[in-house]
Amino acid sequence: MKTIEVDEELYRYIAGNTRHIGESASDILRRLLKLDNQADVRTEPATTSAPGEGVLRMLDAGTLSAHDSAIERFMTILSVLYRDNPVAFAQASDIKGRKRIYFADSESALLAAGNTTKPRAIEGSPYWVITNTNTGRKRNIVTQLMAAMGYAHGVIERVSKSI
């Protein structure tokens, strides 16, 4: 294995394309570059989606209705928001309650900030979020985050109501 240095934006892009916890950077890059093995390099252009496309696809496909719990819907929304725009998602760190922080880059940071936060990793991202909040607070967190990320009011409302 070799070590390379990448800038923060590229790191977030790679992390944002994680499909499952534990997927290595090499595996992510192989998939994104469409490398089947070390000797097989394809020059097909990568497909990119427009900002916000993942959220609209999630809403139109009814993905959230497949989840029974508000926590699962909340976690799915956060994961899709991160994949849509990892750079803008960084603003999640600014969203806080009176006494609680909602997002952090580690489970330990959230545990240190409160006794019963029940932190969970946001799939495909380097972020963690507290889940021990009522549904109204989860809606508020998503609304604030989406507004900070620049989503249209109508889209924010649809996503918030789906939690």
Side-chain angles (χ1 to χ4, degrees):
M1 291 292 226
K2 301 286 183 185
T3 302
I4 60 171
E5 290 186 19
V6 296
D7 61 48
E8 184 68 25
E9 183 179 2
L10 184 55
Y11 170 80
R12 291 199 180 276
Y13 177 79
I14 294 167
N17 281 284
T18 303
R19 286 194 176 158
H20 56 81
I21 294 175
E23 185 177 27
S24 72
S26 291
D27 292 340
I28 296 166
L29 288 171
R30 284 188 179 286
R31 181 172 29 80
L32 293 173
L33 296 171
K34 300 185 185 321
L35 296 175
D36 290 333
N37 60 45
Q38 292 180 354
D40 180 21
V41 178
R42 296 184 192 156
T43 57
E44 300 169 19
T47 58
T48 58
S49 59
E53 189 175 308
V55 170
L56 296 175
R57 221 178 12 251
M58 172 188 66
L59 289 169
D60 294 341
T63 304
L64 297 174
S65 60
H67 298 295
D68 292 331
S69 75
I71 292 173
E72 292 306 318
R73 291 187 294 272
F74 178 63
M75 296 304 295
T76 299
I77 290 166
L78 293 175
S79 179
V80 169
L81 289 173
Y82 180 81
R83 281 193 310 255
D84 262 2
N85 192 340
V87 174
F89 193 94
Q91 296 177 71
S93 302
D94 297 334
I95 300 171
K96 298 176 170 83
R98 282 189 334 236
K99 297 180 181 179
R100 285 180 148 179
I101 61 171
Y102 297 138
F103 295 92
D105 59 0
S106 70
E107 178 182 26
S108 59
L110 291 175
L111 289 171
N115 295 333
T116 57
T117 57
K118 296 191 179 176
R120 285 186 51 186
I122 299 170
E123 185 179 337
S125 86
Y127 294 97
W128 287 72
V129 65
I130 65 170
T131 60
N132 191 21
T133 58
N134 63 36
T135 302
R137 176 66 61 204
K138 287 177 180 67
R139 287 183 176 133
N140 187 293
I141 292 168
V142 166
T143 297
Q144 287 182 49
L145 177 58
M146 290 182 74
M149 292 176 72
Y151 284 90
H153 177 72
V155 174
I156 294 172
E157 194 172 300
R158 282 182 64 196
V159 171
S160 178
K161 286 181 179 179
S162 68
I163 295 177

